[in-house]
Amino acid sequence: NAYVGSMHNMNFNGNENFGLELYVNIGDPQGLTNIASVIVSSPTGTNYTLYDNGQNADNGPGDGRYGVHIWDIAGGPTTGTYTFTVTDMDGNTAVVTDVLNRVIDVPRNTQPLNNSIVNTATPTFSWDAVPDADHYWIGVHDMQHNDV
């Protein structure tokens, strides 16, 4: 199965950042070491290489899940059909597609404001709900931007 999803967050300075999450789970009759390449083509023709090395949103190394996160996509990823092409060492190919229908927004009207200094051990966080969001991630950091 193949998956394409959008990522959208705000950095420490309150700047919006867009990203793209791509992954596919692969099996090969000759074994997982027989995979030569996994390439994803975007609707605009941009190609992305997926990895199975445990370092690129692909779970553990050599487990058959190929993935990558791409950040800093100006204006957000392109919606439309993404084509995943898997090629093994014998030259066999398999093609599968997935569709990115929308790019989800970031929460607005966040409290406390980004980069606010909070002087309580039990802060309350709030924001406007994002349509179609199924989860949220909150980062809390000290003055040196270390995770708390």
Side-chain angles (χ1 to χ4, degrees):
N1 59 352
Y3 173 79
V4 57
S6 69
M7 300 179 292
H8 190 179
N9 68 17
M10 287 198 179
N11 65 17
F12 291 117
N13 298 319
N15 298 319
E16 292 187 41
N17 191 9
F18 292 93
L20 187 63
E21 178 181 17
L22 303 165
Y23 69 80
V24 63
N25 296 315
I26 297 173
D28 187 295
Q30 289 84 24
L32 295 176
T33 58
N34 195 46
I35 303 302
S37 67
V38 180
I39 306 294
V40 179
S41 297
S42 76
T44 61
T46 302
N47 289 332
Y48 302 103
T49 301
L50 275 59
Y51 303 92
D52 185 17
N53 59 8
Q55 300 175 23
N56 290 279
D58 60 301
N59 290 348
D63 65 0
R65 179 175 174 147
Y66 284 72
V68 71
H69 285 169
I70 295 100
W71 283 102
D72 300 321
I73 300 173
T78 303
T79 57
T81 301
Y82 286 72
T83 303
F84 294 69
T85 303
V86 179
T87 304
D88 71 11
M89 300 288 191
D90 301 319
N92 301 307
T93 61
V95 177
V96 65
T97 61
D98 194 27
V99 176
L100 180 62
N101 293 316
R102 66 191 177 292
V103 176
I104 293 182
D105 199 7
V106 294
R108 305 291 175 179
N109 298 316
T110 58
Q111 293 296 323
L113 295 174
N114 199 28
N115 282 328
S116 293
I117 296 174
V118 177
N119 294 316
T120 177
T122 57
T124 298
F125 297 95
S126 65
W127 56 87
D128 291 344
V130 175
D132 299 320
D134 59 14
H135 65 276
Y136 299 90
W137 178 81
I138 296 174
V140 178
H141 309 277
D142 64 18
M143 295 297 287
Q144 289 75 40
H145 297 288
N146 298 309
D147 290 343
V148 175

